[in-house]
Amino acid sequence: MIYPVILSGGVGSRLWPTSRALYPKQLLPLVSERAMLTETAIRVSGREGFAAPIIISNDEHRFIIAQQMHDAGLTPLAHILEPEGRNTAPAAAAAAAFVRDHDPEGILLVLPADHHIADVEAFQRAVGIGATLAGQGKLVTFGIVPSGPETGYGYIRKGDALADGAFEVERFVEKPDRATAESYLADGNYSWNSGIFMFRADRILEEMQAQCPEIARCAESAVEKGARDLDFLRLEAASFCASPSDSIDYAVMEHTKDAAVLPVDMGWSDIGSWSALWEVGDKDQAGNVLSGDVITHDTRDTFVRAESGLVATLGVENLVVVETGDVTLVASRDRVQDVKKIVEKLALDGRSEHQSHTRVYRPWGFYEGLDEGDRHQVKHLMVHPGASLSLQLHHKRAEHWVVVKGQARVTVGDDIFLLEENESTYIPIETRHRLENPGTEPLSIIEVQSGSYLGEDDIVRFDDVYGRDVKKPAAE
């Protein structure tokens, strides 16, 4: 049995401003109409010999991912929550320990959540070959047949031939400079390192116990002491956080004698920058990739993404223009690898635009800011069918709710009542209240807040169906 393990970590800072820490690139529909994580899960779901996917993510993204899986009609075998990111080796070790406890010879297929694969049939054929090698005890990595002298990827040099187009790994090499990358391309024995792996659960743990025993010990302990929380498995924090932070490549693959590489040509991209999205996108006759409400004139080889309003370009070429409502990025297409430097500056300046969008996702749905003043704030709330906000109160603000679409069940003090479209209610300061969607369609509410303080930390919860802390201040 093949157990897909989807690693959904990272913040995708080079795809800012669309990708942000609280809603990173793997959760966004960047290449198709579905989120990249969803595309990855669908790619390995519903196939004979495949278990349902195992997803590994951080705590903040758990409800967003759960909703996306639900919307896609997918039920993960497990959704494992890391208390903090420790790179790919501890995550893979935790997944292997989980699988080993159920199926010691189960084969892990470790997949980053944010990769694009155009030729899915080629990918599936490669997985079949990889499974055979992994079943024999090999630690398999998928190499990508290089299409050019790329300097943004690590490389793998193949050694002696194995069966079905696979090879022993002679060595891994770091990201090269341009001249070195050109020599690798001319040599013909090098592949890009995709970061996709296959190995038996017992075999990778055995290798980790030899190569990186502390990672193996901490991960196994974190799984053993982990706790169920709703539909999630929380790794035990003390054990997992004690693990060294390292990648599978550095911790295991560069040292093992059983590494195998399978070069594959499958239209792969890690979508690591805006230029990568330009490369895989559908181009017009002038070489432009356009998304959203965009007008161009005398524009060539440019990527434009408009998310909330009209973007017009005139007399430009080789640019990236991304508009998200609260941020507009304009960059030279050959400099987009440096977008993360802007993200770093935002963090140093104490700004929030690298953390969240104007739309903020919660387990019950989302809210987005519409207007804000000294003593007022206007938000749009969307509540999923059957979902409920916590029973809560605010010390320093009152709220007015107007139902725009759907039906709301409202608790205000001791009263519980229904609101239909175009009806409203008022929640005074220091009054317990709750908003629920009892219907089968999304509920849209306009919320007007007024008071001396409007911060998200002015919330005291008394009851919460999502297991969040109650009876103490916490962000809703």
Side-chain angles (χ1 to χ4, degrees):
M1 183 68 73
I2 297 172
Y3 295 81
V5 177
I6 302 177
L7 305 181
S8 183
V11 298
S13 60
R14 287 180 295 177
L15 283 169
W16 181 86
T18 295
S19 177
R20 306 193 193 185
L22 295 181
Y23 210 80
K25 67 173 182 174
Q26 64 268 24
L27 307 182
L28 295 165
L30 295 177
V31 182
S32 72
E33 295 180 353
R34 290 187 291 240
M36 298 188 72
L37 184 148
T38 303
E39 291 282 12
T40 302
I42 289 174
R43 203 176 292 138
V44 294
S45 295
R47 297 183 60 83
E48 184 178 355
F50 281 69
I54 297 167
I55 297 174
I56 302 182
S57 77
N58 65 30
D59 188 77
E60 290 178 327
H61 301 153
R62 68 193 188 282
F63 290 113
I64 302 172
I65 293 173
Q67 186 65 44
Q68 290 186 349
M69 292 297 100
H70 176 270
D71 292 345
L74 301 174
T75 303
L77 179 65
H79 187 162
I80 299 174
L81 301 179
E82 296 178 309
E84 67 178 36
R86 306 300 291 159
N87 213 317
T88 56
F98 176 84
V99 170
R100 181 197 58 190
D101 292 343
H102 298 81
D103 182 1
E105 294 188 356
I107 295 171
L108 275 66
L109 170 60
V110 180
L111 301 161
D114 53 2
H115 287 184
H116 171 64
I117 295 175
D119 190 344
V120 177
E121 290 186 3
F123 166 74
Q124 297 290 359
R125 288 194 297 270
V127 168
I129 296 170
T132 299
L133 292 167
Q136 297 168 355
K138 290 291 186 181
L139 309 183
V140 183
T141 182
F142 290 69
I144 303 301
V145 176
S147 58
E150 176 62 53
T151 60
Y153 301 138
Y155 283 70
I156 304 169
R157 180 175 172 81
K158 62 188 183 185
D160 294 339
L162 300 170
D164 297 321
F167 299 84
E168 293 182 352
V169 172
E170 181 175 307
R171 69 176 182 272
F172 289 82
V173 292
E174 296 292 331
K175 298 175 183 178
D177 57 27
R178 180 78 181 187
T180 304
E182 289 175 348
S183 72
Y184 291 165
L185 197 64
D187 182 281
N189 288 309
Y190 288 86
S191 301
W192 294 337
N193 185 355
S194 71
I196 301 174
F197 304 94
M198 289 190 83
F199 27 64
R200 283 203 328 256
D202 58 351
R203 185 68 191 86
I204 186 62
L205 288 172
E206 176 186 60
E207 195 71 34
M208 284 185 162
Q209 286 158 4
Q211 307 292 350
C212 49
E214 193 67 7
I215 290 177
R217 184 188 67 79
C218 291
E220 290 180 272
S221 177
V223 171
E224 180 182 353
K225 298 176 183 177
R228 286 286 176 180
D229 177 5
L230 300 176
D231 294 329
F232 309 105
L233 172 61
R234 290 185 178 275
L235 298 176
E236 197 266 328
S239 298
F240 193 77
C241 296
S243 170
S245 177
D246 210 346
S247 69
I248 302 173
D249 307 73
Y250 290 140
V252 181
M253 299 300 291
E254 292 189 4
H255 306 289
T256 181
K257 296 179 180 178
D258 287 319
V261 59
L262 182 60
V264 190
D265 187 359
M266 55 184 179
W268 172 91
S269 172
D270 69 348
I271 310 297
S273 67
W274 290 115
S275 61
L277 273 174
W278 176 82
E279 288 167 1
V280 304
D282 293 330
K283 300 175 180 63
D284 63 17
Q285 292 182 344
N288 302 310
V289 175
L290 310 176
S291 173
D293 191 3
V294 178
I295 296 175
T296 64
H297 183 76
D298 193 21
T299 298
R300 303 188 62 83
D301 300 327
T302 289
F303 180 94
V304 185
R305 181 183 178 98
E307 297 186 7
S308 68
L310 171 65
V311 173
T313 62
L314 171 64
V316 299
E317 60 182 31
N318 296 317
L319 288 184
V320 165
V321 182
V322 181
E323 176 274 327
T324 63
D326 61 332
V327 172
T328 300
L329 168 71
V330 180
S332 174
R333 195 159 53 79
D334 61 2
R335 292 292 306 278
V336 290
Q337 295 285 350
D338 293 331
V339 168
K340 60 184 179 181
K341 294 181 179 178
I342 295 178
V343 174
E344 292 167 357
K345 188 175 191 313
L346 289 170
L348 288 173
D349 291 347
R351 301 186 60 136
S352 63
E353 288 91 341
H354 66 296
Q355 284 285 339
S356 63
H357 298 81
T358 54
R359 176 176 290 187
V360 179
Y361 288 85
R362 293 295 185 237
W364 44 262
F366 65 76
Y367 69 82
E368 53 192 340
L370 302 178
D371 186 46
E372 185 174 0
D374 289 340
R375 292 181 58 87
H376 81 276
Q377 191 165 230
V378 182
K379 293 181 176 180
H380 168 223
L381 280 65
M382 190 285 291
V383 185
H384 294 301
S388 168
L389 280 68
S390 57
L391 180 65
Q392 59 186 255
L393 65 74
H394 311 297
H395 292 300
K396 298 183 180 180
R397 72 172 186 254
E399 295 177 342
H400 298 257
W401 290 343
V402 181
V403 177
V404 177
K405 183 179 180 181
Q407 184 186 67
R409 180 187 292 123
V410 176
T411 300
V412 180
D414 295 328
D415 297 328
I416 301 176
F417 51 92
L418 294 177
L419 289 180
E420 305 292 342
E421 291 184 10
N422 300 317
E423 295 183 340
S424 63
T425 191
Y426 168 64
I427 300 98
I429 292 175
E430 299 279 6
T431 301
R432 294 193 187 199
H433 60 279
R434 168 174 259 158
L435 177 63
E436 303 172 72
N437 181 357
T440 59
E441 299 295 327
L443 167 65
S444 288
I445 295 281
I446 296 298
E447 176 182 86
V448 180
Q449 303 175 357
S450 60
S452 61
Y453 178 73
L454 305 172
E456 283 301 307
D457 55 348
D458 179 23
I459 292 176
V460 178
R461 293 196 187 102
F462 300 94
D463 178 64
D464 184 72
V465 298
Y466 305 105
R468 295 173 296 179
D469 290 339
V470 297
K471 292 189 177 179
K472 68 178 183 179
E476 175 56 40

